[in-house]
């Protein structure tokens, strides 16, 4: 594989700008996948996948893999390792991907509250140094598109549930919340139980953390 096509695209701003403009309107996995396919055609590689992470707590994250046959990629790479690399480093590194001769993982940076990495697969060697600066430009636009996609999956709770969990995040007990909101303590516990279920949490404290992470990113 050669990188001349990508080099030419980046050297000609009139050719490169449409890629960024198109990325600015992406807000769904299917649109992101189509955009990645366009880039793959330019650089003449086999596939490009986006692996996105949205932290939900200090120890957990929500992930999304976007690209052709993304389930196979999801089963082929170690998501925890990819996540840690995205958090700690911006350096591209080689990975083994089933069915591909060569894989290159490129961490993306530049958007608060979300992490990501681009996985490029090819039947020939891909020079990391030739790809890294390209994606340092494209990366933030791609992450913003991913963030818009993630935002559609925000945890949906009612106004009263939100009131209860926000007061609970301030350290208020169920009885104190009931006095503040003018409802029974039993009703407060009912709303907080719904929050625990909707955030797939084990207890009230975990539900608070997940809700705050989900709605402040």
């Amino acid at each position: 594989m050669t990188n001349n096509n990508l080099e030419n695209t980046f050297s000609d701003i009139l050719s490169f700008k449409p890629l960024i403009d198109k990325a600015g309107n992406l807000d769904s996995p299917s649109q992101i996948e189509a955009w990645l396919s366009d880039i793959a055609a330019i650089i003449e590689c086999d596939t490009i996948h986006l692996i996105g992470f949205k932290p939900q707590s200090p120890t957990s994250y929500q992930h999304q893999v976007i690209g052709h046959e993304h389930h196979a990629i999801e089963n082929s790479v170690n998501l925890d390792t990819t996540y840690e690399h995205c958090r700690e480093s911006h350096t591209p590194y080689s990975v083994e991907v089933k069915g591909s001769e060569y894989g290159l993982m490129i961490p993306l940076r530049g958007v608060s509250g979300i992490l990501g990495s681009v996985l490029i697969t090819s039947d020939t060697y891909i020079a990391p140094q030739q790809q890294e600066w390209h994606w340092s430009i494209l990366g933030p636009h791609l992450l913003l598109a991913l963030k818009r996609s993630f935002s559609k999956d925000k945890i949906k709770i009612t106004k009263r549930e939100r009131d209860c969990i926000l007061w609970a995040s301030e350290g208020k007990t169920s009885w104190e919340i009931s006095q503040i909101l003018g409802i029974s303590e039993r009703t407060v516990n009912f709303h907080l139980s719904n929050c625990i279920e909707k955030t797939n949490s084990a207890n009230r404290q975990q539900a608070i953390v997940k809700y705050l992470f989900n709605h402040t990113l």
Side-chain angles (χ1 to χ4, degrees):
M1 182 191 75
T2 65
N3 294 290
N4 292 335
N5 287 342
L6 189 56
E7 294 286 354
N8 291 338
T9 298
F10 274 76
S11 65
D12 181 358
I13 190 62
L14 294 180
S15 298
F16 179 53
K17 188 174 183 298
L19 297 175
I20 295 178
D21 291 341
K22 187 174 182 179
N25 295 317
L26 305 176
D27 63 0
S28 70
S30 61
Q31 292 177 354
I32 295 174
E33 180 176 340
W35 187 84
L36 292 173
S37 294
D38 290 343
I39 304 298
I42 291 174
I43 67 175
E44 299 178 348
C45 66
D46 292 340
T47 65
I48 301 179
H49 288 80
L50 172 64
I51 304 174
F53 301 96
K54 183 172 70 170
Q56 293 189 301
S57 77
T59 58
S60 66
Y61 57 81
Q62 179 183 353
H63 78 273
Q64 191 170 22
V65 180
I66 300 176
H68 182 61
E69 295 184 354
H70 60 276
H71 291 301
I73 294 296
E74 187 169 356
N75 293 329
S76 180
V77 301
N78 187 312
L79 292 176
D80 288 339
T81 299
T82 304
Y83 178 62
E84 287 302 317
H85 197 88
C86 288
R87 292 179 58 187
E88 304 295 336
S89 175
H90 63 273
T91 305
Y93 61 101
S94 299
V95 294
E96 292 186 4
V97 181
K98 185 177 180 180
S100 298
E101 291 294 325
Y102 189 79
L104 180 66
M105 194 78 76
I106 307 174
L108 305 177
R109 296 289 185 86
V111 177
S112 176
I114 195 166
L115 301 170
S117 189
V118 166
L119 173 60
I120 303 176
T121 64
S122 176
D123 57 1
T124 56
Y125 174 75
I126 306 169
Q129 66 274 15
Q130 291 182 315
Q131 294 291 329
E132 183 176 4
W133 77 272
H134 298 150
W135 287 101
S136 70
I137 298 173
L138 286 176
H141 301 280
L142 188 55
L143 287 178
L144 284 172
L146 183 63
K147 192 170 186 178
R148 289 191 292 271
S149 176
F150 268 125
S151 69
K152 295 182 177 182
D153 299 323
K154 280 188 178 293
I155 298 169
K156 297 178 176 62
I157 67 173
T158 67
K159 180 181 182 302
R160 187 59 85 190
E161 289 167 350
R162 183 180 71 247
D163 292 340
C164 288
I165 200 168
L166 288 177
W167 280 115
S169 72
E170 295 291 331
K172 301 297 183 183
T173 66
S174 293
W175 183 85
E176 290 172 326
I177 296 172
S178 71
Q179 299 305 299
I180 294 170
L181 299 179
I183 57 180
S184 70
E185 185 176 354
R186 180 179 179 181
T187 300
V188 171
N189 288 331
F190 172 76
H191 289 316
L192 291 175
S193 293
N194 285 342
C195 291
I196 292 171
E197 181 178 353
K198 290 180 178 181
T199 58
N200 193 29
S201 300
N203 51 47
R204 181 182 302 191
Q205 288 71 31
Q206 187 180 21
I208 291 170
V209 171
K210 284 189 175 183
Y211 175 81
L212 292 178
F213 263 79
N214 190 266
H215 285 264
T216 57
L217 297 180

